[in-house]
C-alpha cells in the first residue's frame, strides 16, 4: 500500500562500470537520472566524476553483497521511481552493498549484454526486469552455469521457458490489476459502454497479463461492455497520446479507456482534452501504477481510477539478494501488496503524500 515518506534527497553513487555495448552504465543522482547516451561513449568520456573502482573480475571473498541490476530504461515515471529507489537504497548502504547498474535503453540485447558483464564481474546476484517475456533462455543458463542466482523484478518470463532459470520474482500480480480495472470500469459505465484499450510494451508480461485480466473479466461478466479497439502505446505518455488521438478519429462513441499504465493514461487525457472532450466525464480513464500524476489527475476530475503497482521494491530486492548470497531459500514469487484508488478517495493530502 502507498506509504508517505520524506522526499528522497542526496546523490546516488553506484558502481561505475566500463560501458558494455549500448548497455551503458552510469552514476546518477535521483533527480538527474539522465538518459544514457544512445550509443555508448568511450569509457573515459562517460566516466562519472568519482569513478568507483569496478569490482574485481573475481568477486570472491568480498564481504559486501554485490548486485548487478540491468534496468530496462526510462520509459515511464514508474520505471524512474524503481530506479531511484534501488540506487538510493544502495547509496545509503555502501558499507554492505555494492550496486552495478546498467540502463538498457529499452533494448533486450542491452539487458543481455549487461547480464553477461555482471557474470564476468562475478557479482553475487543478478537482478533485472525482463523487457519482454521471451528470449532469455541462453543468458539465464549462463547465469546458472556461473552459479549466480537471478531475481526477476516487476516483470516475468514466459512460463514455457521453465521456472528453474531464475530463483525468484518480486512483482505485482498483473492479472489481478487488469481484473480490478475491469471491475471499476463496469461500475463507472453502469454495465454498458464502448471501451478502447491502450496496451503496454508488446510482449511484456505486465502488458500481456493486464490485458488478460481486463479482457477476460469483461468477456465473462459484462455482456454490454464492448472493447472496440486495443493497441500498444508502449507504456509511454507520448505514444499513449498518439494512439488515443487515432482512436478518437476512428470512433465517435468511446465511453472509456483502459490504459495499462498511468503514463499512457496521462497522454490519453491530453488527447481527449485536445479533442474538446472532458476526460473523467465524457470519457472515463483508468490506469495502472499509482504514480503521482494519476492522483493529481483524479483530484482534478480528469481520471477515475488507478490500480497501484508499487515500484518501491529495493528493500525486498536487497534483503532477498542477501538471503540468496547466504544460501537461504526464498519463495518463487514474492508478490507486492497493491491497492485500488478511485477519484472519490483522493484529497490534496493524499496527493501530497505520494511516494512516487
Ligand atoms: C510493472 C512494470 C511496468 C509499469 C510501467 O511492473 O513492468 O513497466 O506498469 C513500466 O509503467 O513501463
Amino acid at each position: 500500500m502507498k506509504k508517505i515518506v520524506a522526499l528522497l534527497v542526496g546523490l546516488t553513487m553506484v558502481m561505475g562500470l566500463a560501458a558494455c555495448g549500448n548497455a551503458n552504465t552510469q552514476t546518477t543522482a535521483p533527480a538527474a537520472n539522465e538518459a544514457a547516451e544512445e550509443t555508448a561513449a568511450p569509457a573515459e568520456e562517460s566516466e562519472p566524476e568519482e569513478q568507483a573502482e569496478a569490482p574485481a573480475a573475481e568477486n570472491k571473498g568480498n564481504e559486501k553483497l554485490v548486485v548487478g541490476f540491468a534496468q530496462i530504461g526510462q520509459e515511464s515515471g514508474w520505471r524512474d521511481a524503481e530506479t531511484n529507489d534501488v540506487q538510493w537504497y544502495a547509496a545509503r548502504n555502501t558499507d554492505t552493498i555494492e550496486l552495478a547498474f546498467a540502463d538498457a535503453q529499452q533494448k533486450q540485447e542491452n539487458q543481455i549484454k549487461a547480464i553477461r558483464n555482471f557474470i564476468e564481474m562475478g557479482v553475487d546476484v543478478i537482478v533485472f526486469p525482463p523487457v519482454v517475456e521471451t528470449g532469455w533462455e541462453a543468458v539465464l543458463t549462463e547465469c546458472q552455469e556461473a552459479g549466480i542466482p537471478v531475481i526477476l523484478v516487476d516483470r516475468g518470463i514466459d512460463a514455457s521457458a521453465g521456472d528453474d532459470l531464475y530463483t525468484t520474482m518480486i512483482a505485482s500480480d498483473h492479472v489481478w490489476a487488469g481484473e480490478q480495472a475491469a471491475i471499476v470500469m463496469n461500475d463507472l459505465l453502469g454495465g454498458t459502454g464502448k471501451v478502447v484499450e491502450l496496451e503496454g510494451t508488446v510482449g511484456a508480461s505486465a502488458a500481456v497479463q493486464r490485458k488478460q485480466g481486463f479482457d477476460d473479466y469483461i468477456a465473462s461478466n459484462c455482456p454490454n461492455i464492448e472493447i472496440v479497439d486495443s493497441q500498444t502505446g508502449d507504456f509511454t505518455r507520448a505514444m499513449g497520446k498518439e494512439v488515443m488521438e487515432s482512436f478518437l478519429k476512428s470512433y465517435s462513441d468511446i465511453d472509456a479507456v483502459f490504459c495499462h499504465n498511468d503514463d499512457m493514461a496521462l497522454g490519453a487525457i491530453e488527447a481527449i482534452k485536445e479533442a474538446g472532450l472532458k476526460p473523467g466525464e465524457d470519457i472515463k480513464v483508468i490506469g495502472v501504477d499509482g504514480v503521482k500524476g494519476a492522483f493529481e489527475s483524479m483530484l482534478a476530475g480528469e481520471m477515475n481510477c488507478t490500480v497501484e503497482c508499487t515500484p518501491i521494491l529495493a528493500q525486498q530486492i536487497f534483503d532477498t539478494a542477501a538471503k540468496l548470497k547466504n544460501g537461504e531459500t526464498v519463495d518463487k514469487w514474492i508478490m507486492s501488496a497493491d491497492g485500488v484508488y478511485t477519484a472519490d478517495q483522493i484529497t490534496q493530502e493524499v496527493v501530497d503524500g505520494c511516494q512516487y
Side-chain angles (χ1 to χ4, degrees):
M1 300 299 274
K2 275 185 126 25
K3 294 186 287 292
I4 298 174
V5 294
L7 280 178
L8 309 184
V9 293
L11 180 65
T12 295
M13 174 61 73
V14 297
M15 296 305 299
L17 295 171
C20 52
N22 286 330
N24 209 345
T25 55
Q26 53 195 348
T27 298
T28 57
N33 199 11
E34 293 141 16
E37 291 305 312
E38 186 54 40
T39 52
E44 59 278 2
E45 283 176 23
S46 62
E47 277 194 359
E49 277 120 53
E50 295 172 50
Q51 173 72 23
E53 279 300 307
E58 278 305 306
N59 178 42
K60 288 189 175 56
N62 184 344
E63 287 308 305
K64 290 186 180 180
L65 170 65
V66 182
V67 171
F69 193 107
Q71 182 56 291
I72 289 175
Q74 300 165 53
E75 77 282 359
S76 64
W78 188 98
R79 184 68 51 200
D80 290 345
E82 181 183 71
T83 292
N84 292 340
D85 185 44
V86 165
Q87 292 183 339
W88 190 65
Y89 188 95
R92 282 189 316 154
N93 294 279
T94 50
D95 54 331
T96 56
I97 292 172
E98 286 182 7
L99 174 65
F101 184 88
D103 177 333
Q105 292 123 47
Q106 311 307 120
K107 296 185 175 75
Q108 179 175 32
E109 66 265 27
N110 287 343
Q111 283 192 296
I112 291 171
K113 282 177 192 165
I115 291 169
R116 288 188 167 130
N117 192 32
F118 297 149
I119 293 172
E120 280 300 302
M121 286 169 53
V123 301
D124 295 309
V125 181
I126 289 171
V127 181
F128 77 104
V131 61
V132 293
E133 291 183 306
T134 55
W136 303 100
E137 290 85 341
V139 72
L140 291 179
T141 302
E142 292 164 33
C143 293
Q144 251 180 4
E145 288 165 353
I148 300 176
V150 172
I151 300 175
L152 304 183
V153 285
D154 84 66
R155 293 187 192 177
I157 61 173
D158 191 278
S160 64
D163 67 5
D164 61 341
L165 285 173
Y166 65 93
T167 306
T168 185
M169 176 176 73
I170 301 173
S172 295
D173 180 343
H174 301 310
V175 174
W176 173 86
E179 287 167 352
Q180 296 305 308
I183 291 167
V184 172
M185 183 67 81
N186 186 36
D187 184 53
L188 287 170
L189 297 178
T192 301
K194 292 182 189 299
V195 175
V196 290
E197 192 170 345
L198 283 173
E199 301 176 13
T201 301
V202 176
S205 66
V208 170
Q209 292 167 8
R210 286 171 186 169
K211 180 169 185 63
Q212 176 195 333
F214 184 83
D215 292 11
D216 288 357
Y217 184 92
I218 295 292
S220 306
N221 301 281
C222 312
N224 298 317
I225 292 179
E226 181 190 358
I227 301 172
V228 296
D229 208 333
S230 185
Q231 286 177 39
T232 182
D234 204 20
F235 281 136
T236 70
R237 182 168 181 156
M239 207 165 152
K241 178 180 180 182
E242 194 182 303
V243 174
M244 190 65 199
E245 284 167 349
S246 72
F247 283 155
L248 289 164
K249 289 190 180 86
S250 306
Y251 308 96
S252 59
D253 52 358
I254 297 171
D255 298 301
V257 55
F258 168 49
C259 309
H260 291 187
N261 80 336
D262 290 339
D263 278 46
M264 293 192 292
L266 297 175
I269 287 168
E270 286 177 56
I272 293 166
K273 287 201 272 192
E274 287 173 13
L277 297 169
K278 294 193 183 90
E281 293 178 35
D282 300 330
I283 296 181
K284 309 299 185 188
V285 181
I286 297 180
V288 184
D289 278 346
V291 298
K292 186 169 186 176
F295 285 81
E296 289 167 337
S297 297
M298 285 195 280
L299 189 64
E302 296 181 346
M303 190 166 171
N304 305 89
C305 170
T306 182
V307 179
E308 185 185 17
C309 169
T310 183
I312 308 304
L313 302 172
Q315 174 94 49
Q316 284 178 301
I317 290 169
F318 289 108
D319 287 353
T320 303
K323 286 178 181 173
L324 297 180
K325 178 171 184 174
N326 294 336
E328 297 175 47
T329 54
V330 298
D331 291 343
K332 198 68 185 174
W333 181 4
I334 301 169
M335 193 191 303
S336 305
D338 293 315
V340 181
Y341 296 87
T342 50
D344 57 294
Q345 301 167 294
I346 308 308
T347 62
Q348 188 59 50
E349 186 188 12
V350 171
V351 171
D352 295 344
C354 283
Q355 190 178 348
Y356 58 89

